[in-house]
Amino acid sequence: INIVMIVGVIAYVCALSLPMFGAVTMMGDASYVFWVGTLYPVEIIAISVGGTILLALNCMAFKQCVRHDVLTTRALAQMTAVYMALAGLLLVFVSVPASRELYSTASRLGAAGCSTSSTDAVQLVDTSLDLYKMKMAPNCFLKSSVEECPGFQPTKYTRYLKYLEYEFQCGPLCPELPMQLAPHTHVPAPAPAPAPGRMNR
């Protein structure tokens, strides 16, 4: 019976290992977290971990409280199958709205781009423009990063812009927007060369 209980819990964990791996991957994707959030991956992890704990506790309670003639391998296998079915239904219920939101966000960003009405997209573009203006300032132009400039404040938008630059090695965010490429500083004219006669003295 103990072996059957252990095998049942392991089978349940293996069945949910793929959704768990997908949830961890989504939480590690900066683009997914920025545009969609972490609610769906957290729900998947909670269903998987919570279901595993409940199944293990149910097996131990089943072993302690049920008569020996009822405690059979078939009963434990059926209980594991019920938990797997419930976990599958819960995953479907949370996946449908999450998938709808993901496709809606992707289509909205793909269709409108920088002119999208999404609050995060507008704020991201504004932050990108502000950072470029800050970097092109005379007191910041020669610094290696805009993070060293006075007045820089890290936010989720600046962190995501940094991720985009490091991950895709590109910028600015919207190249069709006008960018000031250099600070307007006065460059002194070169001094006139000395006369040839004075160079020989």
Side-chain angles (χ1 to χ4, degrees), residues 18-30:
L18 186 59
M20 281 278 292
F21 177 77
V24 173
T25 303
M26 286 185 286
M27 293 188 69
D29 190 336

Side-chain angles (χ1 to χ4, degrees), residues 174-194:
C174 295
E176 65 270 17
L177 297 177
M179 293 287 181
Q180 181 183 345
L181 298 180
H184 294 292
T185 55
H186 176 70
V187 179

Side-chain angles (χ1 to χ4, degrees), residues 128 132 160-172:
S128 177
Y132 267 88
Y160 184 59
L161 289 170
K162 182 179 180 180
Y163 161 78
L164 292 177
E165 290 187 357
Y166 274 95
E167 181 70 17
F168 302 104
Q169 300 294 320
C170 64

Side-chain angles (χ1 to χ4, degrees), residues 87-143:
L89 289 175
L90 289 176
L91 290 177
V92 170
F93 287 145
V94 300
S95 298
V96 171
S99 177
R100 187 185 303 113
E101 181 182 0
L102 178 61
Y103 280 107
S104 175
T105 302
S107 61
R108 185 172 62 251
L109 293 175
C114 293
S115 61
T116 181
S117 59
S118 173
T119 304
D120 285 332
V122 173
Q123 185 63 39
L124 190 66
V125 173
D126 292 342
T127 303
S128 177
L129 292 174
D130 292 340
L131 291 179
Y132 267 88
K133 292 178 182 178
M134 184 183 298
K135 185 66 174 70
M136 294 302 116
N139 61 344
C140 185
F141 182 67
L142 298 179
K143 296 184 181 295

Side-chain angles (χ1 to χ4, degrees), residues 19 22-24 26-27 32-33 36-46:
V24 173
M26 286 185 286
M27 293 188 69
Y32 181 90
V33 172
V36 183
T38 58
L39 178 61
Y40 175 59
V42 169
E43 288 177 344
I44 293 180
I45 295 175

